[in-house]
Amino acid sequence: MPSYVAETRKYLPHTPVVWIPNVVEPVCLEKQAHPSAVKDRYRIITVGRIDGLQKQTHILVKAFASLAQQYSQWDVWIWGEVKKTDYYQRLCQFIEEQGLTGRVHLAGTTPAIQDELCQADIFAFPSAFEGFPLALTEAMATGLPSVGFRSADAVNELIVDGKNGILCEDGVSAFAQGLERLMKEPALRSAMGRQAVADMKPYYPEAVWNQWQMLIDEQIQQASRL
């Protein structure tokens, strides 16, 4: 994200630094989410490895546990590979102890994550930090409002608080409050989801490839003058 340019220049003060983002593929209307639709069951989804340090999966699980009884039509789907068995087992134990088996799904991996995103209503992203979070951008391109942490690098540049999602202060309680705000307001979910799609347009392939082309052309012109 753009904020990393200044950080890079601290270590490479005499080297030109250019920011060009990763590509975010546009999502056709048929594959976009409908977060304000009336459903029998509603889904909070997250995508990322099951991890306690960076991805902080436990924060989502604990935040939902505090809301589950009041919002009985809601479930959580967690998609991602397991890296640390002990951490995964502790999550499973907590889910069972809270009586959330069947509502919090540690779903593993899938080659068709877009099919899962378009069925969801909220994208939860409790990461402590990111570089360029592709999972978040893919969810936003699908039309999902997101909840993340204000302190999380990159996340706090993609989620615009109150516009395309909600940025929370650190901690389980604050994350639960962000989730609840969206859970109880379908119109807000819809409005933020639409804004999220619009905010991803600068990352669409043509825009990004054009930036690369301009950079390459500039380098060629500079070299020709040497």
Side-chain angles (χ1 to χ4, degrees):
M1 295 302 294
S3 61
Y4 288 104
V5 172
E7 185 70 17
T8 304
R9 284 174 175 158
K10 293 179 183 178
Y11 300 96
L12 301 169
H14 306 297
T15 301
V17 180
V18 176
W19 172 74
I20 299 178
N22 287 345
V23 166
V24 179
E25 292 288 344
V27 177
C28 65
L29 287 175
E30 292 78 11
K31 286 287 188 178
Q32 288 188 5
H34 301 280
S36 64
V38 177
K39 306 174 183 178
D40 293 331
R41 307 295 304 173
Y42 298 88
R43 291 190 180 192
I44 299 168
I45 190 173
T46 192
V47 180
R49 68 182 179 277
I50 310 301
D51 169 66
L53 294 177
Q54 180 189 357
K55 302 299 184 181
Q56 302 188 128
T57 315
H58 60 281
I59 289 182
L60 168 57
V61 175
K62 290 182 177 181
F64 181 72
S66 71
L67 301 168
Q69 185 173 358
Q70 184 178 356
Y71 295 91
S72 58
Q73 288 181 286
W74 285 81
D75 302 315
V76 171
W77 288 76
I78 299 170
W79 290 95
E81 62 181 332
V82 176
K83 288 292 188 179
K84 295 185 177 180
T85 304
D86 289 348
Y87 179 75
Y88 175 79
Q89 290 176 344
R90 289 197 301 272
L91 278 181
C92 292
Q93 182 178 355
F94 179 82
I95 290 167
E96 183 177 355
E97 291 172 349
Q98 296 296 312
L100 295 176
T101 303
R103 293 189 61 192
V104 176
H105 304 268
L106 296 168
T109 60
T110 174
I113 195 61
Q114 189 59 48
D115 293 339
E116 303 301 330
L117 288 171
C118 71
Q119 296 181 60
D121 304 280
I122 298 170
F123 188 76
F125 204 62
S127 288
F129 61 90
E130 292 284 342
F132 188 92
L134 286 172
L136 175 59
T137 59
E138 289 168 357
M140 294 175 74
T142 303
L144 288 174
S146 303
V147 179
F149 284 125
R150 194 181 307 277
S151 63
D153 293 339
V155 175
N156 56 20
E157 294 179 71
L158 288 163
I159 297 178
V160 181
D161 188 35
K163 300 295 184 181
N164 60 26
I166 295 175
L167 290 174
C168 309
E169 300 306 320
D170 290 346
V172 172
S173 177
F175 202 80
Q177 291 174 17
L179 290 175
E180 184 176 22
R181 184 181 171 192
L182 289 174
M183 291 164 78
K184 66 183 181 182
E185 296 188 44
L188 183 62
R189 295 198 300 270
S190 181
M192 287 186 172
R194 290 194 301 271
Q195 186 62 49
V197 173
D199 290 345
M200 289 301 99
K201 290 181 179 179
Y203 305 100
Y204 283 179
E206 183 176 356
V208 175
W209 301 145
N210 284 344
Q211 291 181 62
W212 277 107
Q213 188 65 58
M214 290 174 61
L215 177 61
I216 292 168
D217 289 345
E218 288 173 4
Q219 299 310 303
I220 293 173
Q221 291 174 10
Q222 290 179 19
S224 69
R225 291 194 292 267
L226 295 179

